[in-house]
Amino acid sequence: MLTLLLLLILVPFAAGACLLGVRSDLLRRILVAAVTLAVCCGTVTLVVLPTGVKLMGPSLHHHWFSLASLAIEIAMALYVLYVGVRARHPLIVALILAQAGLMIWFEFKLGSHLEVAGNLFVDKFAVIMALINGVVGGGICLYALDYMRQYHQGAHPEIADRRPLFFALLFVFMGAMFGLIFANNLTWLMIFWEMTTLCSFVLIGYTQTDEAKRNALRALWMNLAGGLAFAVAIVLFCRHSGSGELQTLIASKPSLALLPAALLCFAGITKSAQLPFSSWLLGAMVAPTPVSALLHSSTMVKAGVYLVLRMAPVIAHTRVGLMVALVGGLTFVIGSFAAITTSEAKRVLAYSTVANLALIVLCGGLGTAEAVWAGVLLIIFHAVAKCLLFLCVGVVEHKLHSRDIEAMSGLIQKMPRVAVMMLIGMAGMFLAPFGMLISKWAVLKAVVDASPTLSVFIVFGSSATLFFWAKWMGKLLEVFQPGEPVKSELALGESIAIYGLAAATFCACLFFPLISSRFVEPYVQGVYGQSASLGQGNLIIMGLMMVIVLLFPISFIHYGRGVKVVEPYMGGANLPSNVGFLGSAGATQSAVTHNYYLRALFNEAWLSRWGVIFCAGLLAAMVVVAWL
Amino acid sequence: MSHWLPLVIYLAIGPIAGGLLAGWDRRISARMQSRRGPPILQPFYDVLKLCQKQNLVVRRGQNFYVLFFLLLVIFTGGLFFAGSDLLLVIFALTLAAVFFVLGAYTASSPYSFIGAERELIQMMAYEPMILLTAIGMYMVTKSFSVHDIAAHGTLLVLALPGIFLGFVYALEIKFRKSPFDLSSSHHAHQELVRGITTEFSGRALAMIEVAHWYENVFLLGWVYLFFAAWPLLGVAASLLVFGFVIFVDNVFARLKWRATIRGAWAVALALGFGNILALSLLHHW
């Protein structure tokens, strides 16, 4: 088992190092495919093997390890310092100096006295995260092979081709994420945490345009702020308790661990792009689509909510927990409202990510068994469906040269396969009986049980969710101007990833009872001594609904039988082109349709300004409350 | 067994009751406008006639969505009357409504497109209040199951007066009645062609009508839940609410979408959330 964990962490790192030197496309393809396959097999093995909570450490004396980790820390700090100085960004310089100074002082002062029984550990939650990271992340790497070739050869010839670096970083990112999931030693956890920050910084700035550089720097400083909070949390906890283990921290009483837990929640909130830090994730869209997919679904932001959910037992029923829950609730509402107002596909997806993560943060803040159960479910379903949507949008962007939702009008006719996959992804995001809805239901129940007044955020936010997804679905389905179907919609790697994820969206729902009873419930049971579930009867009803939904495509066997096709009503004499009509006085009128964006009601700038102010206040209050 | 009886009754009697209600609606509306109005059975004649008409479509896929809209509405009402989870009922209702909207989008006419968008706005407007209603009922009865809520000993409306009023407000939208009939109105004078149903004809239009009958009976069943402790009062209250909705329908002109959503959300916040807040404060004392 220990070997497997180490392999899962180290193989992606090794692959990354190799890929850095590979310039041949064919060789890269073989290598990426092989490593992806290996990682997938590894995580599946992990799933199949029986796991309880297990602490384990490499038996080497940890003096060596702490030296090595210190070296990595210093190297990363120096790189960030270099970046900060070169970009003349005083905030980054200040944050990294504070953090590195603190950690180095800590290593010399306390590092050798710390008790760490096991550096790595694995439990059911970690297994789930690993599976998402391995399978979804692997799918993204496969997709990126074709996507990046088209990116440099067709869509963006002006951008320097740095694919070796790109693929190397994808795998380093994956390895760091595995490390973060399995780390029990808090110092290690922090190193992997900072590694994901650095990887995302470089990947967001991949195109090296001014916008990309600016957004990458923003992502960097925001995540460094979280990193600083992380460092302070480690120092505080280790000084108080003499232990440097995550598991000890989780099992501690709030009186001992509340302030460190609050700071770790702060770090989690920065990383999962909650208000007031959501702007870095929105800015991250400038990167090529596989990066967005990676950041949004399997790595980065999931690391943030992972940490918040880990802290849930400590902050449950405290004021800190309430503050965290409020940040989550507000971010959910504001993110969902903002998603209505924008017509840029990736931006809608980004807002939806922010909103869904906010639900998970809300669950973490509540910290009851039921809430944590719902939060873990959200992580699983969101990763799959959101990744699918990003990958589809990436394909559409290459073929139609636009990522505007209005340009996707009639996609069902131009690119039927991709459109159907997108529809599946969107249905997966908000419709019964798909996964996200099951988990939203679970969240709602958990919130009503824990503190019913907080449900106000969920009811308003989720009705906005319904609006922006459904109108996007509609845009894909309506065909005003039949156009030429796009030739060769999907390349091989792309289709493996997209079809695979679409199948996973269905399977996650079909096997939901199994996922819940075999993985999520045992984890919650282990932490809280009690668990939650949806109840047998409700599961059967969900199954029935699934059958109805699956019957829908089958009913298309009757497609076009017994009907007479006519022109749509236009309020005048239709013109042959179908996009206009002859109105009164013989004037030709053209017909255009646009979605509603309700900008008169929801103002994106206003929403985000007040969201930032409120949530920043809440976070400040959280730290103060934890301090007292 | 007692679980299944309401379900069977709903499936069999639902469309008949719904059709009769629609007939009364038209008759009462006519009287309010000093007209004689059609016979009570007119809605049934309409649907029968629609079934004999030719099936005209703009896009070949559009009618499948309507079929599944009907199936899911029946499913939703079935869940409700079989006594299952109220939240699940709401989600099934949403799924049904989304099928209808997607059908209208697929039809690809400017008028059905606008109707679909407006239907979505209406859904966004009433959804919070509907969810808050379920939450309020849960807070009083400690159960989301319709069966348990109906068997609860006290009159729910006494503990949930704000939620009841908010729910009636939301019903006004859900019934697609004036002033909230943005997506498709029964009144020709305030209609933009025919809104969401513009491109549906023949059997598809008949299915939409029948779906509305089922839906209305289910929604009135929900009104009954507020008074379930006193069954006779419950039935009377449901009918009164229906009459009130007809009255409002005839008194108001259509509102703009912005006013609709602002109003609905303000009501949901003030009455719905206010009631929940009061309940949880009382609970803490």
Side-chain angles (χ1 to χ4, degrees), chain A residues 445 448-449 453 474 478-480 545 548 555 564-566 569 594-596 601, chain B residues 54-57 59 64 68 75 85 105 108 113 117 138 199 261 265 273 277:
Chain A
K445 279 196 166 169
V448 173
D449 279 332
T453 39
E478 52 93 359
V479 187
F480 280 114
M545 268 164 118
I548 297 181
S555 73
K564 184 182 170 197
V565 180
V566 295
Y569 178 77
H594 271 287
N595 273 346
Y596 277 113
L601 195 62
Chain B
Q54 200 178 11
N55 253 332
L56 298 181
V57 295
R59 301 280 169 226
F64 297 104
F68 276 78
F75 181 75
D85 192 301
Y105 274 117
S108 306
F113 183 91
E117 296 265 317
Y138 176 79
E199 298 298 346
I261 196 163
W265 280 15
F273 178 64
L277 195 65

mmCIF file of all heavy atoms in Angstrom, chain A residues 445 448-449 453 474 478-480 545 548 555 564-566 569 594-596 601, chain B residues 54-57 59 64 68 75 85 105 108 113 117 138 199 261 265 273 277:
data_model
loop_
_atom_site.group_PDB
_atom_site.id
_atom_site.type_symbol
_atom_site.label_atom_id
_atom_site.label_comp_id
_atom_site.label_asym_id
_atom_site.label_seq_id
_atom_site.Cartn_x
_atom_site.Cartn_y
_atom_site.Cartn_z
ATOM 1 N N LYS A 445 -30.882 19.362 2.554
ATOM 2 C CA LYS A 445 -31.337 18.653 3.756
ATOM 3 C C LYS A 445 -30.412 18.910 4.918
ATOM 4 O O LYS A 445 -30.857 19.165 6.050
ATOM 5 C CB LYS A 445 -31.412 17.149 3.478
ATOM 6 C CG LYS A 445 -32.666 16.756 2.766
ATOM 7 C CD LYS A 445 -32.902 15.259 2.852
ATOM 8 C CE LYS A 445 -34.322 14.981 2.429
ATOM 9 N NZ LYS A 445 -34.616 13.595 2.215
ATOM 10 N N VAL A 448 -30.945 22.437 6.215
ATOM 11 C CA VAL A 448 -32.196 22.600 6.938
ATOM 12 C C VAL A 448 -32.108 21.965 8.325
ATOM 13 O O VAL A 448 -32.631 22.493 9.293
ATOM 14 C CB VAL A 448 -33.364 22.005 6.131
ATOM 15 C CG1 VAL A 448 -34.629 22.022 6.942
ATOM 16 C CG2 VAL A 448 -33.556 22.779 4.856
ATOM 17 N N ASP A 449 -31.385 20.837 8.399
ATOM 18 C CA ASP A 449 -31.233 20.200 9.704
ATOM 19 C C ASP A 449 -30.326 20.998 10.626
ATOM 20 O O ASP A 449 -30.572 21.083 11.825
ATOM 21 C CB ASP A 449 -30.680 18.773 9.529
ATOM 22 C CG ASP A 449 -31.788 17.820 9.155
ATOM 23 O OD1 ASP A 449 -32.936 18.089 9.544
ATOM 24 O OD2 ASP A 449 -31.513 16.821 8.465
ATOM 25 N N THR A 453 -32.089 28.761 8.530
ATOM 26 C CA THR A 453 -32.055 30.097 7.933
ATOM 27 C C THR A 453 -31.024 30.189 6.814
ATOM 28 O O THR A 453 -31.185 30.975 5.889
ATOM 29 C CB THR A 453 -31.734 31.149 9.000
ATOM 30 O OG1 THR A 453 -30.760 30.617 9.874
ATOM 31 C CG2 THR A 453 -32.958 31.522 9.785
ATOM 32 N N GLY A 474 -30.929 25.472 -24.228
ATOM 33 C CA GLY A 474 -31.838 25.894 -25.285
ATOM 34 C C GLY A 474 -31.084 26.441 -26.476
ATOM 35 O O GLY A 474 -31.415 26.164 -27.630
ATOM 36 N N GLU A 478 -31.745 25.127 -30.355
ATOM 37 C CA GLU A 478 -32.529 25.800 -31.383
ATOM 38 C C GLU A 478 -31.696 25.965 -32.651
ATOM 39 O O GLU A 478 -30.518 26.264 -32.608
ATOM 40 C CB GLU A 478 -33.081 27.132 -30.858
ATOM 41 C CG GLU A 478 -32.080 28.070 -30.236
ATOM 42 C CD GLU A 478 -31.519 29.070 -31.227
ATOM 43 O OE1 GLU A 478 -31.902 28.996 -32.391
ATOM 44 O OE2 GLU A 478 -30.692 29.894 -30.808
ATOM 45 N N VAL A 479 -32.342 25.745 -33.777
ATOM 46 C CA VAL A 479 -31.664 25.805 -35.069
ATOM 47 C C VAL A 479 -32.389 26.810 -35.945
ATOM 48 O O VAL A 479 -33.343 26.468 -36.634
ATOM 49 C CB VAL A 479 -31.665 24.429 -35.767
ATOM 50 C CG1 VAL A 479 -30.811 24.471 -37.009
ATOM 51 C CG2 VAL A 479 -31.155 23.363 -34.822
ATOM 52 N N PHE A 480 -31.993 28.061 -35.911
ATOM 53 C CA PHE A 480 -32.633 29.050 -36.776
ATOM 54 C C PHE A 480 -32.089 28.998 -38.182
ATOM 55 O O PHE A 480 -32.818 29.051 -39.153
ATOM 56 C CB PHE A 480 -32.452 30.461 -36.202
ATOM 57 C CG PHE A 480 -33.414 30.757 -35.118
ATOM 58 C CD1 PHE A 480 -32.984 30.942 -33.826
ATOM 59 C CD2 PHE A 480 -34.775 30.813 -35.378
ATOM 60 C CE1 PHE A 480 -33.881 31.186 -32.812
ATOM 61 C CE2 PHE A 480 -35.671 31.060 -34.376
ATOM 62 C CZ PHE A 480 -35.227 31.252 -33.084
ATOM 63 N N MET A 545 -36.667 7.834 -12.244
ATOM 64 C CA MET A 545 -36.478 9.035 -13.041
ATOM 65 C C MET A 545 -35.378 8.840 -14.065
ATOM 66 O O MET A 545 -35.466 9.291 -15.201
ATOM 67 C CB MET A 545 -36.093 10.201 -12.124
ATOM 68 C CG MET A 545 -37.260 10.992 -11.643
ATOM 69 S SD MET A 545 -36.714 11.964 -10.277
ATOM 70 C CE MET A 545 -36.963 13.564 -10.863
ATOM 71 N N ILE A 548 -36.718 7.082 -16.972
ATOM 72 C CA ILE A 548 -37.493 7.965 -17.850
ATOM 73 C C ILE A 548 -36.558 8.798 -18.721
ATOM 74 O O ILE A 548 -36.746 8.917 -19.934
ATOM 75 C CB ILE A 548 -38.406 8.883 -17.012
ATOM 76 C CG1 ILE A 548 -39.419 8.051 -16.245
ATOM 77 C CG2 ILE A 548 -39.119 9.879 -17.905
ATOM 78 C CD1 ILE A 548 -40.372 8.858 -15.404
ATOM 79 N N SER A 555 -36.883 7.333 -27.512
ATOM 80 C CA SER A 555 -38.121 7.718 -28.180
ATOM 81 C C SER A 555 -37.850 8.336 -29.549
ATOM 82 O O SER A 555 -38.738 8.414 -30.391
ATOM 83 C CB SER A 555 -38.895 8.703 -27.305
ATOM 84 O OG SER A 555 -38.261 9.954 -27.312
ATOM 85 N N LYS A 564 -45.855 16.739 -40.121
ATOM 86 C CA LYS A 564 -45.636 17.525 -41.323
ATOM 87 C C LYS A 564 -44.787 18.736 -40.939
ATOM 88 O O LYS A 564 -45.123 19.466 -40.006
ATOM 89 C CB LYS A 564 -46.986 17.973 -41.883
ATOM 90 C CG LYS A 564 -46.849 18.724 -43.179
ATOM 91 C CD LYS A 564 -48.208 19.188 -43.669
ATOM 92 C CE LYS A 564 -48.028 20.131 -44.834
ATOM 93 N NZ LYS A 564 -49.247 20.900 -45.078
ATOM 94 N N VAL A 565 -43.671 18.902 -41.645
ATOM 95 C CA VAL A 565 -42.754 19.976 -41.297
ATOM 96 C C VAL A 565 -43.172 21.267 -41.977
ATOM 97 O O VAL A 565 -43.425 21.287 -43.188
ATOM 98 C CB VAL A 565 -41.315 19.615 -41.694
ATOM 99 C CG1 VAL A 565 -40.358 20.739 -41.326
ATOM 100 C CG2 VAL A 565 -40.900 18.328 -41.012
ATOM 101 N N VAL A 566 -43.273 22.324 -41.187
ATOM 102 C CA VAL A 566 -43.650 23.628 -41.732
ATOM 103 C C VAL A 566 -42.628 24.673 -41.284
ATOM 104 O O VAL A 566 -41.758 24.408 -40.472
ATOM 105 C CB VAL A 566 -45.053 24.049 -41.254
ATOM 106 C CG1 VAL A 566 -46.112 23.128 -41.790
ATOM 107 C CG2 VAL A 566 -45.086 24.097 -39.735
ATOM 108 N N TYR A 569 -43.636 30.314 -37.443
ATOM 109 C CA TYR A 569 -44.433 31.522 -37.577
ATOM 110 C C TYR A 569 -43.555 32.736 -37.315
ATOM 111 O O TYR A 569 -42.819 32.781 -36.332
ATOM 112 C CB TYR A 569 -45.589 31.501 -36.574
ATOM 113 C CG TYR A 569 -46.408 32.745 -36.638
ATOM 114 C CD1 TYR A 569 -47.322 32.935 -37.669
ATOM 115 C CD2 TYR A 569 -46.251 33.761 -35.707
ATOM 116 C CE1 TYR A 569 -48.052 34.089 -37.742
ATOM 117 C CE2 TYR A 569 -46.979 34.919 -35.769
ATOM 118 C CZ TYR A 569 -47.882 35.078 -36.799
ATOM 119 O OH TYR A 569 -48.603 36.231 -36.885
ATOM 120 N N HIS A 594 -31.739 36.276 -29.186
ATOM 121 C CA HIS A 594 -30.675 36.340 -28.202
ATOM 122 C C HIS A 594 -31.214 35.842 -26.881
ATOM 123 O O HIS A 594 -32.370 36.067 -26.564
ATOM 124 C CB HIS A 594 -30.210 37.785 -28.016
ATOM 125 C CG HIS A 594 -29.124 38.169 -28.953
ATOM 126 N ND1 HIS A 594 -27.845 37.716 -28.816
ATOM 127 C CD2 HIS A 594 -29.124 38.965 -30.044
ATOM 128 C CE1 HIS A 594 -27.105 38.206 -29.797
ATOM 129 N NE2 HIS A 594 -27.857 38.962 -30.553
ATOM 130 N N ASN A 595 -30.354 35.219 -26.104
ATOM 131 C CA ASN A 595 -30.771 34.849 -24.758
ATOM 132 C C ASN A 595 -30.942 36.088 -23.891
ATOM 133 O O ASN A 595 -30.349 37.126 -24.159
ATOM 134 C CB ASN A 595 -29.706 33.960 -24.116
ATOM 135 C CG ASN A 595 -29.904 32.507 -24.452
ATOM 136 O OD1 ASN A 595 -30.960 32.123 -24.945
ATOM 137 N ND2 ASN A 595 -28.909 31.704 -24.193
ATOM 138 N N TYR A 596 -31.739 35.919 -22.860
ATOM 139 C CA TYR A 596 -31.832 36.958 -21.839
ATOM 140 C C TYR A 596 -30.607 36.862 -20.933
ATOM 141 O O TYR A 596 -30.212 35.777 -20.534
ATOM 142 C CB TYR A 596 -33.060 36.711 -20.956
ATOM 143 C CG TYR A 596 -34.370 37.215 -21.490
ATOM 144 C CD1 TYR A 596 -35.377 36.348 -21.859
ATOM 145 C CD2 TYR A 596 -34.608 38.577 -21.580
ATOM 146 C CE1 TYR A 596 -36.593 36.808 -22.313
ATOM 147 C CE2 TYR A 596 -35.831 39.046 -22.034
ATOM 148 C CZ TYR A 596 -36.818 38.153 -22.405
ATOM 149 O OH TYR A 596 -38.019 38.615 -22.844
ATOM 150 N N LEU A 601 -31.151 43.491 -14.017
ATOM 151 C CA LEU A 601 -31.471 43.049 -12.663
ATOM 152 C C LEU A 601 -30.211 42.672 -11.893
ATOM 153 O O LEU A 601 -30.048 43.026 -10.733
ATOM 154 C CB LEU A 601 -32.401 41.837 -12.763
ATOM 155 C CG LEU A 601 -33.125 41.423 -11.513
ATOM 156 C CD1 LEU A 601 -34.031 42.527 -11.048
ATOM 157 C CD2 LEU A 601 -33.944 40.175 -11.789
ATOM 158 N N GLN B 54 -53.952 17.654 -37.726
ATOM 159 C CA GLN B 54 -52.696 17.247 -38.328
ATOM 160 C C GLN B 54 -51.531 17.673 -37.417
ATOM 161 O O GLN B 54 -51.615 18.701 -36.748
ATOM 162 C CB GLN B 54 -52.568 17.970 -39.667
ATOM 163 C CG GLN B 54 -51.602 17.341 -40.605
ATOM 164 C CD GLN B 54 -51.569 18.096 -41.918
ATOM 165 O OE1 GLN B 54 -52.115 19.185 -42.058
ATOM 166 N NE2 GLN B 54 -50.907 17.514 -42.900
ATOM 167 N N ASN B 55 -50.478 16.874 -37.415
ATOM 168 C CA ASN B 55 -49.313 17.186 -36.596
ATOM 169 C C ASN B 55 -48.350 18.067 -37.361
ATOM 170 O O ASN B 55 -47.564 17.597 -38.175
ATOM 171 C CB ASN B 55 -48.599 15.891 -36.213
ATOM 172 C CG ASN B 55 -48.811 15.554 -34.769
ATOM 173 O OD1 ASN B 55 -49.018 16.454 -33.953
ATOM 174 N ND2 ASN B 55 -48.741 14.284 -34.441
ATOM 175 N N LEU B 56 -48.381 19.370 -37.095
ATOM 176 C CA LEU B 56 -47.465 20.274 -37.784
ATOM 177 C C LEU B 56 -46.293 20.574 -36.851
ATOM 178 O O LEU B 56 -46.496 20.895 -35.683
ATOM 179 C CB LEU B 56 -48.163 21.589 -38.136
ATOM 180 C CG LEU B 56 -49.346 21.492 -39.089
ATOM 181 C CD1 LEU B 56 -49.905 22.878 -39.352
ATOM 182 C CD2 LEU B 56 -48.938 20.834 -40.393
ATOM 183 N N VAL B 57 -45.082 20.468 -37.372
ATOM 184 C CA VAL B 57 -43.912 20.802 -36.557
ATOM 185 C C VAL B 57 -42.948 21.651 -37.377
ATOM 186 O O VAL B 57 -42.988 21.639 -38.613
ATOM 187 C CB VAL B 57 -43.155 19.541 -36.079
ATOM 188 C CG1 VAL B 57 -44.005 18.720 -35.149
ATOM 189 C CG2 VAL B 57 -42.685 18.721 -37.258
ATOM 190 N N ARG B 59 -39.470 21.666 -36.205
ATOM 191 C CA ARG B 59 -38.330 20.749 -36.106
ATOM 192 C C ARG B 59 -38.878 19.385 -35.703
ATOM 193 O O ARG B 59 -39.736 19.291 -34.821
ATOM 194 C CB ARG B 59 -37.321 21.226 -35.072
ATOM 195 C CG ARG B 59 -36.754 22.584 -35.353
ATOM 196 C CD ARG B 59 -35.654 22.561 -36.374
ATOM 197 N NE ARG B 59 -35.355 23.927 -36.770
ATOM 198 C CZ ARG B 59 -35.209 24.321 -38.037
ATOM 199 N NH1 ARG B 59 -35.310 23.466 -39.024
ATOM 200 N NH2 ARG B 59 -34.942 25.581 -38.304
ATOM 201 N N PHE B 64 -41.200 15.262 -29.027
ATOM 202 C CA PHE B 64 -40.744 14.294 -28.039
ATOM 203 C C PHE B 64 -40.588 14.950 -26.672
ATOM 204 O O PHE B 64 -40.866 14.349 -25.646
ATOM 205 C CB PHE B 64 -39.407 13.687 -28.465
ATOM 206 C CG PHE B 64 -39.510 12.928 -29.747
ATOM 207 C CD1 PHE B 64 -39.035 13.457 -30.920
ATOM 208 C CD2 PHE B 64 -40.107 11.688 -29.765
ATOM 209 C CE1 PHE B 64 -39.142 12.761 -32.106
ATOM 210 C CE2 PHE B 64 -40.224 10.980 -30.944
ATOM 211 C CZ PHE B 64 -39.740 11.519 -32.130
ATOM 212 N N PHE B 68 -42.447 13.923 -23.065
ATOM 213 C CA PHE B 68 -41.776 13.665 -21.784
ATOM 214 C C PHE B 68 -42.171 14.695 -20.734
ATOM 215 O O PHE B 68 -42.142 14.394 -19.546
ATOM 216 C CB PHE B 68 -40.266 13.566 -21.979
ATOM 217 C CG PHE B 68 -39.871 12.199 -22.410
ATOM 218 C CD1 PHE B 68 -40.044 11.797 -23.718
ATOM 219 C CD2 PHE B 68 -39.418 11.278 -21.492
ATOM 220 C CE1 PHE B 68 -39.743 10.507 -24.112
ATOM 221 C CE2 PHE B 68 -39.107 9.992 -21.868
ATOM 222 C CZ PHE B 68 -39.267 9.605 -23.190
ATOM 223 N N PHE B 75 -45.713 11.939 -13.488
ATOM 224 C CA PHE B 75 -44.807 11.315 -12.522
ATOM 225 C C PHE B 75 -44.705 12.169 -11.257
ATOM 226 O O PHE B 75 -44.773 11.665 -10.138
ATOM 227 C CB PHE B 75 -43.442 11.152 -13.187
ATOM 228 C CG PHE B 75 -42.403 10.499 -12.329
ATOM 229 C CD1 PHE B 75 -42.437 9.139 -12.093
ATOM 230 C CD2 PHE B 75 -41.383 11.231 -11.776
ATOM 231 C CE1 PHE B 75 -41.478 8.538 -11.314
ATOM 232 C CE2 PHE B 75 -40.413 10.642 -11.002
ATOM 233 C CZ PHE B 75 -40.460 9.285 -10.763
ATOM 234 N N ASP B 85 -41.070 12.132 -0.939
ATOM 235 C CA ASP B 85 -40.324 13.292 -0.450
ATOM 236 C C ASP B 85 -40.698 14.561 -1.230
ATOM 237 O O ASP B 85 -40.673 14.595 -2.453
ATOM 238 C CB ASP B 85 -38.835 12.986 -0.615
ATOM 239 C CG ASP B 85 -37.970 13.982 0.105
ATOM 240 O OD1 ASP B 85 -38.067 15.178 -0.201
ATOM 241 O OD2 ASP B 85 -37.196 13.559 0.957
ATOM 242 N N TYR B 105 -37.599 25.589 -27.246
ATOM 243 C CA TYR B 105 -36.351 26.033 -27.887
ATOM 244 C C TYR B 105 -36.132 25.267 -29.184
ATOM 245 O O TYR B 105 -35.776 25.840 -30.212
ATOM 246 C CB TYR B 105 -35.163 25.773 -26.967
ATOM 247 C CG TYR B 105 -34.875 26.857 -25.958
ATOM 248 C CD1 TYR B 105 -34.959 26.611 -24.606
ATOM 249 C CD2 TYR B 105 -34.465 28.120 -26.373
ATOM 250 C CE1 TYR B 105 -34.663 27.588 -23.675
ATOM 251 C CE2 TYR B 105 -34.169 29.105 -25.444
ATOM 252 C CZ TYR B 105 -34.277 28.833 -24.096
ATOM 253 O OH TYR B 105 -33.979 29.806 -23.185
ATOM 254 N N SER B 108 -37.584 26.286 -32.497
ATOM 255 C CA SER B 108 -36.835 27.262 -33.281
ATOM 256 C C SER B 108 -37.688 28.287 -34.000
ATOM 257 O O SER B 108 -37.494 28.541 -35.185
ATOM 258 C CB SER B 108 -35.950 26.560 -34.324
ATOM 259 O OG SER B 108 -35.140 25.631 -33.724
ATOM 260 N N PHE B 113 -39.168 30.855 -28.884
ATOM 261 C CA PHE B 113 -37.894 31.122 -28.206
ATOM 262 C C PHE B 113 -38.108 32.102 -27.053
ATOM 263 O O PHE B 113 -37.690 31.865 -25.920
ATOM 264 C CB PHE B 113 -36.892 31.684 -29.210
ATOM 265 C CG PHE B 113 -35.518 31.932 -28.648
ATOM 266 C CD1 PHE B 113 -34.552 30.951 -28.708
ATOM 267 C CD2 PHE B 113 -35.189 33.148 -28.073
ATOM 268 C CE1 PHE B 113 -33.283 31.170 -28.189
ATOM 269 C CE2 PHE B 113 -33.931 33.377 -27.555
ATOM 270 C CZ PHE B 113 -32.975 32.383 -27.621
ATOM 271 N N GLU B 117 -37.713 31.474 -22.994
ATOM 272 C CA GLU B 117 -36.881 32.287 -22.096
ATOM 273 C C GLU B 117 -37.730 32.827 -20.943
ATOM 274 O O GLU B 117 -37.304 32.869 -19.791
ATOM 275 C CB GLU B 117 -36.262 33.465 -22.854
ATOM 276 C CG GLU B 117 -35.298 33.041 -23.937
ATOM 277 C CD GLU B 117 -33.855 33.040 -23.464
ATOM 278 O OE1 GLU B 117 -33.466 33.981 -22.775
ATOM 279 O OE2 GLU B 117 -33.138 32.077 -23.792
ATOM 280 N N TYR B 138 -41.224 21.201 6.545
ATOM 281 C CA TYR B 138 -40.306 20.289 7.236
ATOM 282 C C TYR B 138 -40.048 20.767 8.658
ATOM 283 O O TYR B 138 -39.972 19.973 9.597
ATOM 284 C CB TYR B 138 -38.991 20.213 6.461
ATOM 285 C CG TYR B 138 -37.931 19.372 7.125
ATOM 286 C CD1 TYR B 138 -37.975 17.985 7.039
ATOM 287 C CD2 TYR B 138 -36.892 19.956 7.826
ATOM 288 C CE1 TYR B 138 -37.015 17.209 7.643
ATOM 289 C CE2 TYR B 138 -35.917 19.186 8.438
ATOM 290 C CZ TYR B 138 -35.979 17.810 8.344
ATOM 291 O OH TYR B 138 -35.021 17.047 8.946
ATOM 292 N N GLU B 199 -45.403 27.049 -31.571
ATOM 293 C CA GLU B 199 -45.185 26.084 -32.661
ATOM 294 C C GLU B 199 -45.699 24.688 -32.352
ATOM 295 O O GLU B 199 -45.349 23.748 -33.035
ATOM 296 C CB GLU B 199 -43.700 26.032 -33.028
ATOM 297 C CG GLU B 199 -43.136 27.354 -33.534
ATOM 298 C CD GLU B 199 -43.809 27.834 -34.820
ATOM 299 O OE1 GLU B 199 -44.514 27.029 -35.456
ATOM 300 O OE2 GLU B 199 -43.634 29.013 -35.160
ATOM 301 N N ILE B 261 -40.049 39.111 -11.431
ATOM 302 C CA ILE B 261 -39.037 38.406 -10.638
ATOM 303 C C ILE B 261 -38.748 39.156 -9.350
ATOM 304 O O ILE B 261 -38.601 38.564 -8.284
ATOM 305 C CB ILE B 261 -37.790 38.139 -11.485
ATOM 306 C CG1 ILE B 261 -36.941 37.088 -10.819
ATOM 307 C CG2 ILE B 261 -36.961 39.357 -11.721
ATOM 308 C CD1 ILE B 261 -35.949 36.494 -11.751
ATOM 309 N N TRP B 265 -39.479 37.450 -5.761
ATOM 310 C CA TRP B 265 -38.376 37.229 -4.830
ATOM 311 C C TRP B 265 -38.563 38.043 -3.552
ATOM 312 O O TRP B 265 -38.199 37.588 -2.463
ATOM 313 C CB TRP B 265 -37.030 37.555 -5.508
ATOM 314 C CG TRP B 265 -36.582 36.428 -6.379
ATOM 315 C CD1 TRP B 265 -37.344 35.380 -6.805
ATOM 316 C CD2 TRP B 265 -35.276 36.208 -6.914
ATOM 317 N NE1 TRP B 265 -36.605 34.534 -7.578
ATOM 318 C CE2 TRP B 265 -35.327 35.021 -7.659
ATOM 319 C CE3 TRP B 265 -34.070 36.893 -6.835
ATOM 320 C CZ2 TRP B 265 -34.216 34.503 -8.331
ATOM 321 C CZ3 TRP B 265 -32.964 36.381 -7.507
ATOM 322 C CH2 TRP B 265 -33.034 35.202 -8.247
ATOM 323 N N PHE B 273 -39.082 33.523 3.755
ATOM 324 C CA PHE B 273 -37.918 33.463 4.629
ATOM 325 C C PHE B 273 -38.237 34.051 5.996
ATOM 326 O O PHE B 273 -37.772 33.547 7.020
ATOM 327 C CB PHE B 273 -36.744 34.186 3.973
ATOM 328 C CG PHE B 273 -35.518 34.216 4.821
ATOM 329 C CD1 PHE B 273 -34.877 33.034 5.159
ATOM 330 C CD2 PHE B 273 -35.013 35.406 5.315
ATOM 331 C CE1 PHE B 273 -33.750 33.040 5.961
ATOM 332 C CE2 PHE B 273 -33.885 35.421 6.115
ATOM 333 C CZ PHE B 273 -33.253 34.230 6.437
ATOM 334 N N LEU B 277 -37.487 32.286 9.466
ATOM 335 C CA LEU B 277 -36.677 32.954 10.483
ATOM 336 C C LEU B 277 -37.424 32.974 11.818
ATOM 337 O O LEU B 277 -36.865 32.619 12.865
ATOM 338 C CB LEU B 277 -36.375 34.378 10.020
ATOM 339 C CG LEU B 277 -35.271 35.128 10.735
ATOM 340 C CD1 LEU B 277 -33.941 34.434 10.478
ATOM 341 C CD2 LEU B 277 -35.196 36.567 10.234
#
